[in-house]
Amino acid sequence: MESGKLRVSDFAIINFLNYYGQSAENGIMEKSTFRNIYKYLAAIILVMILANQGAGAYVCKYKEDFYKLYHVHYQQLPDDCIENIYWLEKAVKADFANPYYAFAKIEDERQWEKYRYLFMMHVNLKLIEQHLRLGRIYDKKIAYFYDAPWTDEYQRNLEKAQSCYEAGYYYWEEAKLWAEKASVSKFNFLCMTDIQNWEDERERINTGDLDYGRTLDRELTRLRKVLADLIEMNEKKY
């Protein structure tokens, strides 16, 4: 044991010696206790062997690996959104894993091609969602007259929100492009039920039911109005 460092196995051994040493001194060691000692020692030895061998670290390499790190928190803070954006961006840039490890059952090259298009579409949609979430953390829906003392701070936050919303346009164009690729005629009558929600997103984009461009336009129009109100409020110096 290194000086000043106590490993789990060392701690277990110390507890073992303290407990059973005291029991032996008090003369209360029974036969069943000896059996427990052997089991306890065997467990400690096994833990020490595994610790010495070390567990091999799993390296994220493929799109599917990085996508699995994406997760939505119940109460999402700026760092949570930024973390998700980071993993999703890594997923966009990485290579696909072998079709055997895909999120859907792949039986032929046509399914494999459509799966890749749907994956890219879905990840770009999630990137839009995360930018919207991040922007809304800094966004101020309405400028009230009593906000005058903090107009500078509100303006800085609104500028952050604006940059998040504006970034969403790029991902929306990408999502539409991949949705279009996944909707060409050769994929007619091919529905990947294992990722039905991705298929639904593709169809909603094609019909216009899902339109993040419209959402981003609405958010930015409102934000610019609030920003203008804050600037005017600051100039009037309430």
Side-chain angles (χ1 to χ4, degrees), residues 14-34 36-37:
I14 290 171
N15 278 343
F16 165 77
L17 293 174
N18 288 338
Y19 176 77
Y20 287 112
Q22 184 178 0
S23 298
E25 290 177 1
N26 295 335
I28 59 174
M29 192 80 77
E30 300 177 355
K31 290 183 179 180
S32 59
T33 306
F34 282 107
N36 292 335
I37 291 174

Side-chain angles (χ1 to χ4, degrees), residues 50-114:
L50 293 175
N52 289 332
Q53 289 179 346
Y58 181 78
V59 178
C60 288
K61 183 178 180 181
Y62 300 107
K63 291 181 182 293
E64 289 82 356
D65 298 330
F66 289 112
Y67 180 78
K68 289 177 182 177
L69 296 174
Y70 157 79
H71 55 286
V72 177
H73 300 77
Y74 176 73
Q75 183 179 3
Q76 201 148 2
L77 301 175
D79 287 348
D80 301 323
C81 294
I82 293 170
E83 177 190 355
N84 276 334
I85 290 170
Y86 174 80
W87 294 129
L88 291 170
E89 287 282 11
K90 296 286 284 187
V92 167
K93 297 175 183 177
D95 295 327
F96 281 98
N98 186 286
Y100 180 81
Y101 300 103
F103 295 144
K105 185 177 181 180
I106 306 297
E107 296 179 330
D108 55 46
E109 292 183 1
R110 190 164 68 109
Q111 290 179 342
W112 175 229
E113 183 180 359
K114 186 175 185 182

Side-chain angles (χ1 to χ4, degrees), residues 113-130:
E113 183 180 359
K114 186 175 185 182
Y115 167 82
R116 299 198 308 273
Y117 296 156
L118 289 175
F119 182 98
M120 293 298 293
M121 174 206 71
H122 178 71
V123 169
N124 277 282
L125 290 177
K126 291 302 176 185
L127 278 163
I128 299 171
E129 290 180 8
Q130 289 302 304

